[in-house]
């Protein structure tokens, strides 16, 4: 709206007066930061064609402040690949190289930042100079100015994501690794900020701004599956143990870089690291020792194989570090040990699991809040890995966790709920013993009664109770009534508030729908845990009416949780769901939209459960959902992590495949004509699922459909053979169905054609089919 502005500011850059020039540059830098996209558009007649060459002239200015402004201005346009910059890219890079050893730290920082971004968008222009750039970045990562070092350290993180990383960096590891390791020590200022000399602070209440907002992950329906979790945690650098310095710093960046490089180079990193590690881990100065423990944790995921021979010695040493006199050493030892939990659990329990568990439980009761937090998080990871291995120690574990209830300040209390919920998920029905229930439930219910309906601390507590209810099953009955009632109330209140807000936005606030989502998820946990016992609770409440509204909510997470609850209620007490089916089915049909993948998954799963209850009465609804399901199962690459809440990856279209199978099971005449359109993806997505009820019903359905429309499977018969062979122990009648189809096909095509056909089979498939079905 002010066309004279940019030309005028650019003219002022030519001023003889330093202050005018510097002021104009300051203004231009802010404009470039705020409006980079607008400046690179036809809307303003492409001013960058003039501005970028102009900025480049100032890279050689005598004032460091001006040089710094000039680079910062051009840097704004790298990530969007502005055309005017791409036209001048070689000049820009030459100018950057010329400023590489500038005396001014701000200039060096902006040079590093430019190179990091160019690595991402124009690596082609850097490759010819890569050797010298790496040498330069090695020096800058050790810059005396921490801000420069931090910008330079980002270079290694970005390089690790590039395909050429391995070939260009391999010869520099010898120099790089010690630099990164050195950057992983706490600086003096870190230690002051972290109150590293305060050993006991458990009695000090938390200040509210210390507590990060928690986001509830809506319930996702999962299927048991083959693929094991990869080692360690998914977000290594995020779990790192300096929460209080949640701002990014050199220590975190160095650790993150080492982590990603370990994932690129794997074992090849170790020859450069192991000699250093020994010196660090046994160092008399705690700061150095602490950094060694962090190094060990950072490489856990990438270098696991190569580390295995050293772990029998290292794990006991780390367990000893859990009782170090410095709190920051104890807390990092918790984190690093959690990164090796997978290995610990793979050994005989008395070797490492028992000592680790014993020490971690002591740390959960540490006098230092940061150690409590690290120990709780580490224990949750250990629980996920160890699962039922923990059953023999349940009494001792519960005593500790319950004792922590009375001891913890606000922030750690929220992490404690998570550790209890994860424990319930991990040991399942083994928790359903009167003595365990007596220990665990009173403190949970006491907190439940203390918290008001508006208190966000309800989120983690409700999540925790949901896991506990699912694990305790009938053991939760004595507590279910008040919990159920309150969840219904939370849903009702939130819906009412949303309605008022929609009608009078000026008078009312929008509700926090997380309250409703968490409540729906706890109701799901109750339905899953209590099964048929939930029927009376449902009968005495208006939950079905509320569910009808929730299923149509504008917020995807609300719909996602509603469909999970619908599926669980269908399994637990279909008598209350059945009268609503005519109203619910069209809503389920419209939510089969893969753009909202979790909503789509849960809706699909609910449809499958409804099929199993409705039987042939499903017939009027098949056409509402079938085409969408076939479309979903044929989508090329649905993301791999559809179902992440157990950390197990499930092949993309397992749930749609199961639901299509179930639809075909109850209405084969309606679904079979489409067989040819889905049989191939159907087979490939179910071959990785473990034998279970869902898989059983789906395969019965496919067999019945093949009976109705055998032609639909002919072209993809090899895929069907492969899917059949994925069964370990099908029930006898299902095995007979498979037998009949395989032999029917073989007889149909004749011996000779069958021989030719089965030549294409991989050897393993051939063997299995011969052994199990005699074909």
């Amino acid at each position: 709206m002010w066309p004279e502005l940019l030309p005028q500011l650019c003219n002022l850059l030519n001023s003889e007066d330093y202050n005018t020039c510097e002021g104009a540059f300051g203004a231009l830098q802010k404009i470039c930061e705020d409006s980079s996209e607008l400046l690179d558009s036809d809307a303003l007649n492409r001013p960058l064609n003039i501005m970028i060459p102009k900025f480049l002239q100032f890279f050689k200015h005598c004032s460091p402040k001006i040089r710094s402004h000039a680079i910062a201005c051009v840097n704004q346009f790298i990530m969007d690949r502005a055309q005017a910059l791409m036209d001048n890219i070689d000049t820009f890079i030459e100018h950057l190289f010329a400023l590489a050893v500038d005396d001014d730290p701000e200039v060096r920082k902006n040079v590093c930042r430019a190179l990091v971004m160019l690595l991402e968008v124009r690596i082609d222009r850097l490759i010819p100079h890569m050797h010298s750039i790496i040498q330069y970045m090695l020096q800058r990562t050790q810059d005396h100015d921490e801000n420069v070092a931090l910008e330079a350290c980002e270079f290694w993180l970005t390089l690790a994501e590039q395909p050429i990383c391995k070939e260009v960096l391999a010869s520099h590891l010898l120099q790089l690794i010690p630099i990164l390791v050195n950057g992983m020590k706490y600086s003096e200022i870190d230690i002051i900020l972290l109150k590293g000399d305060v050993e006991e602070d458990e009695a000090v209440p938390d200040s509210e701004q210390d507590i990060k907002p928690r986001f509830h992950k809506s319930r996702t329906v999962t299927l048991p599956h083959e693929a094991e979790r990869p080692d360690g945690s998914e977000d290594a650098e995020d779990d790192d143990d300096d929460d209080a310095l949640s701002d990014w710093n050199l220590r975190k960046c160095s650790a993150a870089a080492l982590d990603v490089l370990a994932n690129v180079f794997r074992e090849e990193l170790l020859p450069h690291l192991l000699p250093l590690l020994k010196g660090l881990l046994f160092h008399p100065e705690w700061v150095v020792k602490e950094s060694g423990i962090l190094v060990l944790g950072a490489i856990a995921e990438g270098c696991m194989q190569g580390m295995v021979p050293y772990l029998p010695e290292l794990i006991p040493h780390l367990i000893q570090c859990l009782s170090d006199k410095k709190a920051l050493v104890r807390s990092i030892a918790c984190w690093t040990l959690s990164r090796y939990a997978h290995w610990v659990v793979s050994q005989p329990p008395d070797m490492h699991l028992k000592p680790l568990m014993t020490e971690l439980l002591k740390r959960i009761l540490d006098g230092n809040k940061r150690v409590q937090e690290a120990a709780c998080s580490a224990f949750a990871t250990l629980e996920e890995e160890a699962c039922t291995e923990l059953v023999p120690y349940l009494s001792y574990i519960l005593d500790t966790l319950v004792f922590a209830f009375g001891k913890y300040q606000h922030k750690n209390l929220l992490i404690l709920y998570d550790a209890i919920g994860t424990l319930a998920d991990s040991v399942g029905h083994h928790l359903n013993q009167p003595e365990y229930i007596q220990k665990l439930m009173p403190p949970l219910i006491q907190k439940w009664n203390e918290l008001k309906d508006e208190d966000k601390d309800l989120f983690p507590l409700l999540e925790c109770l949901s896991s506990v209810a699912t694990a305790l099953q009938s053991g939760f009955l004595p507590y279910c009534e008040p919990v159920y009632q309150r969840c219904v109330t939370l849903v009702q209140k939130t819906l009412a508030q949303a309605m008022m807000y929609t009608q009078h936005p000026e008078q009312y606030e929008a509700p926090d729908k997380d309250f409703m989502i968490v409540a729906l998820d706890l109701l799901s946990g109750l339905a899953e845990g209590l099964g048929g016992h939930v029927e009376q609770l449902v009968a005495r409440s208006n939950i079905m009416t509320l569910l009808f509204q929730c299923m149509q909510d504008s917020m995807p997470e609300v719909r996602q949780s509603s469909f999970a609850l619908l599926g669980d209620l269908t399994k637990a007490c279909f008598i209350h769901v059945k009268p609503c089916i005519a109203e619910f089915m069209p809503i389920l049909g419209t939510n089969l939209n893969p753009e909202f993948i979790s909503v789509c998954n849960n809706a699909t799963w609910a449809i499958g459960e409804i099929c199993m209850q409705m039987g042939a009465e499903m017939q009027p609804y098949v056409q509402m959902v079938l085409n969408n399901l076939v479309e979903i199962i044929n989508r090329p690459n649905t993301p791999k992590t559809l179902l992440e809440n157990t950390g197990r990856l499930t092949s993309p279209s397992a749930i749609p495949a199961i639901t299509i199978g179930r639809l075909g099971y109850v209405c084969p005449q309606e679904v079979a004509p489409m067989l040819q359109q889905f049989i191939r993806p159907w087979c490939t997505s179910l071959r990785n699922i473990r034998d279970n009820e869902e898989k059983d019903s789906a395969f019965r359905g496919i067999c019945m459909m093949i009976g109705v429309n055998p032609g639909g499977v002919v072209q993809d018969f090899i895929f069907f053979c492969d899917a059949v062979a994925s069964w370990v122990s099908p029930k006898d009648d299902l095995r007979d169905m498979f037998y009949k189809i395989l032999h029917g096909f073989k007889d149909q095509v004749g011996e000779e054609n069958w021989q030719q056909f089965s030549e294409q089979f991989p050897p393993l498939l051939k063997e299995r089919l011969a052994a199990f079905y005699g074909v």
Side-chain angles (χ1 to χ4, degrees):
M1 312 268 301
W2 184 5
E4 302 79 20
L5 174 65
L6 289 174
Q8 180 57 15
L9 283 174
C10 284
N11 284 337
L12 291 174
L13 294 180
N14 300 329
S15 166
E16 295 295 308
D17 174 36
Y18 170 78
N19 290 327
T20 306
C21 174
E22 206 247 304
F25 245 131
L28 279 166
Q29 184 178 334
K30 291 181 180 62
I31 291 170
C32 291
E33 280 171 15
D34 292 343
S35 315
S36 62
E37 278 182 41
L38 183 62
L39 292 171
D40 186 33
S41 69
D42 289 326
L44 296 177
N45 202 357
R46 306 233 165 237
L48 290 186
N49 293 337
I50 297 161
M51 289 164 69
I52 292 219
K54 181 110 189 150
F55 293 152
L56 288 171
Q57 291 168 8
F58 284 87
F59 277 38
K60 300 197 160 82
H61 196 277
C62 58
S63 149
K65 190 140 198 198
I66 304 260
R67 294 197 297 273
S68 181
H69 275 311
I71 311 172
C73 284
V74 179
N75 281 357
Q76 298 308 317
F77 303 101
I78 300 177
M79 293 312 284
D80 291 331
R81 299 184 165 82
Q83 195 49 52
L85 176 55
M86 293 300 127
D87 296 341
N88 290 284
I89 195 82
D90 290 326
T91 319
F92 176 44
I93 292 174
E94 269 167 51
H95 283 37
L96 282 175
F97 287 170
L99 291 177
V101 287
D102 202 283
D103 295 336
D104 184 76
E106 201 56 29
V107 172
R108 294 198 303 273
K109 185 180 98 176
N110 282 327
V111 169
C112 289
R113 182 171 289 174
L115 288 169
V116 170
M117 291 191 284
L118 286 168
L119 193 57
E120 232 174 287
V121 297
R122 286 307 302 263
I123 193 166
D124 58 314
R125 309 312 296 150
L126 298 186
I127 285 175
H129 317 282
M130 197 51 93
H131 180 76
S132 8
I133 295 176
I134 288 175
Q135 285 300 327
Y136 173 65
M137 286 296 187
L138 287 167
Q139 287 177 307
R140 289 288 71 80
T141 309
Q142 307 170 78
D143 202 286
H144 298 307
D145 184 302
E146 175 162 348
N147 292 322
V148 179
L150 179 57
E151 280 302 333
C153 195
E154 295 278 355
F155 180 82
W156 314 114
L157 265 179
T158 304
L159 184 58
E161 288 164 10
Q162 307 301 323
I164 61 154
C165 175
K166 223 170 166 169
E167 57 176 292
V168 298
L169 201 51
S171 57
H172 302 277
L173 288 178
L174 187 61
Q175 291 166 281
L176 172 61
I177 300 300
I179 294 171
L180 291 178
V181 167
N182 196 39
M184 288 163 75
K185 290 203 293 276
Y186 277 125
S187 64
E188 285 172 37
I189 186 90
D190 290 343
I191 295 169
I192 294 164
L193 289 172
L194 284 169
K195 308 190 175 66
D197 48 351
V198 177
E199 293 304 322
E200 286 217 13
D201 60 356
E202 63 174 348
V204 184
D206 296 327
S207 72
E208 283 311 304
Q209 66 263 32
D210 280 351
I211 298 172
K212 290 210 197 94
R214 286 184 79 274
F215 299 104
H216 171 71
K217 269 231 230 23
S218 307
R219 193 168 174 102
T220 327
V221 179
T222 53
L223 297 170
H225 186 242
E226 306 289 43
E228 286 304 319
R229 291 214 5 244
D231 259 48
S233 67
E234 287 66 49
D235 40 4
E237 55 274 7
D238 304 346
D239 299 354
D240 189 2
D241 161 88
D242 337 343
D243 269 353
L245 299 182
S246 53
D247 33 350
W248 194 232
N249 56 21
L250 185 60
R251 165 186 165 92
K252 288 189 168 183
C253 190
S254 305
L258 189 60
D259 182 3
V260 290
L261 289 171
N263 276 299
V264 172
F265 285 96
R266 303 280 167 187
E267 284 54 63
E268 295 166 39
L269 216 56
L270 292 177
H272 307 291
L273 255 177
L274 291 171
L276 295 172
L277 258 175
K278 201 132 196 157
L280 299 172
L281 288 170
F282 298 93
H283 200 280
E285 275 180 63
W286 76 265
V287 178
V288 181
K289 176 167 150 182
E290 193 277 345
S291 71
I293 300 173
L294 173 58
V295 168
L296 204 52
I299 61 170
E301 200 182 339
C303 302
M304 181 54 87
Q305 287 322 106
M307 287 307 296
V308 165
Y310 306 98
L311 293 179
E313 271 180 78
L314 281 173
I315 298 294
H317 176 64
L318 287 170
I319 292 175
Q320 259 183 317
C321 295
L322 286 175
S323 45
D324 194 275
K325 58 181 194 300
K326 295 302 289 185
L328 289 171
V329 174
R330 298 198 298 277
S331 62
I332 198 67
C334 290
W335 178 72
T336 293
L337 279 160
S338 75
R339 300 269 287 166
Y340 290 96
H342 188 80
W343 181 84
V344 167
V345 171
S346 72
Q347 304 298 300
D350 287 350
M351 295 272 296
H352 306 291
L353 177 61
K354 212 168 159 183
L356 171 57
M357 193 181 57
T358 315
E359 284 306 311
L360 266 182
L361 288 170
K362 286 185 195 156
R363 292 293 65 85
I364 285 177
L365 303 180
D366 201 277
N368 180 281
K369 290 195 286 193
R370 176 166 293 100
V371 179
Q372 293 171 357
E373 177 185 0
C376 250
S377 300
F379 196 70
T381 305
L382 185 64
E383 289 169 340
E384 284 179 358
E385 291 290 351
C387 293
T388 49
E389 300 269 342
L390 297 179
V391 172
Y393 316 107
L394 266 174
S395 180
Y396 180 44
I397 294 172
L398 287 169
D399 285 340
T400 305
L401 297 178
V402 168
F403 191 74
F405 254 111
K407 186 178 168 77
Y408 276 14
Q409 298 294 340
H410 187 182
K411 179 182 173 189
N412 286 351
L413 204 50
L414 306 184
I415 299 167
L416 180 63
Y417 292 141
D418 182 53
I420 292 173
T422 308
L423 179 68
D425 293 339
S426 302
V427 299
H429 65 90
H430 296 283
L431 199 57
N432 187 6
Q433 299 291 336
E435 65 153 323
Y436 301 153
I437 297 175
Q438 264 328 101
K439 289 180 199 279
L440 182 59
M441 288 309 296
L444 284 175
I445 294 296
Q446 188 194 336
K447 290 286 176 204
W448 170 263
N449 292 331
E450 283 169 17
L451 293 176
K452 296 190 178 59
D453 280 352
E454 298 69 53
D455 193 327
K456 289 200 167 145
D457 283 6
L458 271 176
F459 299 167
L461 178 56
L462 284 159
E463 281 177 43
C464 169
L465 278 171
S466 175
S467 295
V468 170
T470 310
L472 290 184
Q473 296 173 347
S474 59
F476 198 78
L477 274 172
Y479 308 94
C480 66
E481 184 126 14
V483 173
Y484 180 89
Q485 281 326 120
R486 185 170 194 181
C487 287
V488 173
T489 309
L490 283 170
V491 174
Q492 201 154 6
K493 275 188 176 175
T494 314
L495 285 172
Q497 202 184 331
M499 191 111 114
M500 313 247 271
Y501 172 71
T502 315
Q503 289 164 357
H504 311 282
E506 66 295 334
Q507 289 173 31
Y508 295 99
E509 280 198 11
D512 180 344
K513 288 188 179 172
D514 275 354
F515 284 104
M516 173 157 76
I517 296 168
V518 183
L520 289 166
D521 287 348
L522 177 45
L523 288 169
S524 278
L526 287 174
E528 195 183 331
L530 299 174
H533 295 296
V534 84
E535 190 270 322
Q536 296 143 334
L537 295 170
V538 175
R540 293 200 297 271
S541 70
N542 60 339
I543 187 65
M544 297 316 291
T545 317
L546 298 174
L547 198 50
F548 182 63
Q549 290 173 269
C550 294
M551 286 164 52
Q552 300 174 79
D553 197 89
S554 58
M555 188 176 176
E557 290 78 5
V558 175
R559 301 200 301 277
Q560 179 181 333
S561 292
S562 314
F563 295 137
L565 176 56
L566 176 61
D568 282 317
L569 289 175
T570 299
K571 288 173 86 162
C573 54
F574 190 62
I575 169 176
H576 296 298
V577 178
K578 193 167 182 186
C580 315
I581 290 297
E583 284 183 295
F584 283 7
M585 281 310 295
I587 301 172
L588 285 162
T590 48
N591 276 281
L592 297 178
N593 169 9
E595 240 174 280
F596 299 107
I597 195 69
S598 302
V599 180
C600 177
N601 247 335
N602 287 5
T604 305
W605 175 73
I607 293 167
E609 290 300 336
I610 289 169
C611 282
M612 298 312 287
Q613 302 288 341
M614 290 281 283
E617 293 179 61
M618 195 68 187
Q619 197 255 326
Y621 307 107
V622 174
Q623 294 317 319
M624 269 179 206
V625 296
L626 183 58
N627 288 337
N628 284 354
L629 289 170
V630 171
E631 201 175 314
I632 292 165
I633 200 175
N634 278 296
R635 272 173 70 96
N637 46 359
T638 340
K640 262 282 186 280
T641 47
L642 273 188
L643 310 169
E644 54 204 344
N645 72 357
T646 54
R648 307 218 181 285
L649 298 179
T650 296
S651 56
S653 13
I655 290 182
I658 280 169
T659 295
I660 290 175
R662 290 177 152 188
L663 271 173
Y665 179 62
V666 296
C667 301
Q669 296 296 339
E670 282 68 24
V671 186
M674 306 266 300
L675 199 50
Q676 197 172 348
Q677 293 177 47
F678 61 74
I679 185 72
R680 181 184 284 203
W682 190 93
C683 291
T684 45
S685 63
L686 286 185
R687 64 190 296 272
N688 298 328
I689 302 286
R690 295 201 188 110
D691 295 7
N692 64 10
E693 282 306 311
E694 276 133 336
K695 184 169 173 174
D696 180 272
S697 54
F699 271 84
R700 286 170 193 277
I702 213 84
C703 290
M704 292 171 72
M705 290 187 274
I706 291 173
V708 173
N709 175 17
V713 74
V714 170
Q715 284 180 318
D716 298 305
F717 199 69
I718 186 167
F719 290 92
F720 177 72
C721 295
D722 181 51
V724 165
S726 75
W727 276 89
V728 182
S729 46
K731 292 184 181 149
D732 290 343
D733 58 334
L734 181 60
R735 185 191 294 261
D736 288 343
M737 291 169 148
F738 292 157
Y739 184 91
K740 287 199 178 83
I741 292 174
L742 291 170
H743 280 272
F745 184 83
K746 184 179 170 178
D747 299 342
Q748 191 75 38
V749 298
E751 187 64 46
E752 196 176 327
N753 287 340
W754 175 262
Q755 281 309 320
Q756 273 182 315
F757 175 66
S758 60
E759 281 308 303
Q760 315 161 35
F761 290 0
L764 194 65
L765 174 57
K766 226 172 175 167
E767 278 168 41
R768 291 196 72 143
L769 290 177
F772 285 98
Y773 302 100
V775 290

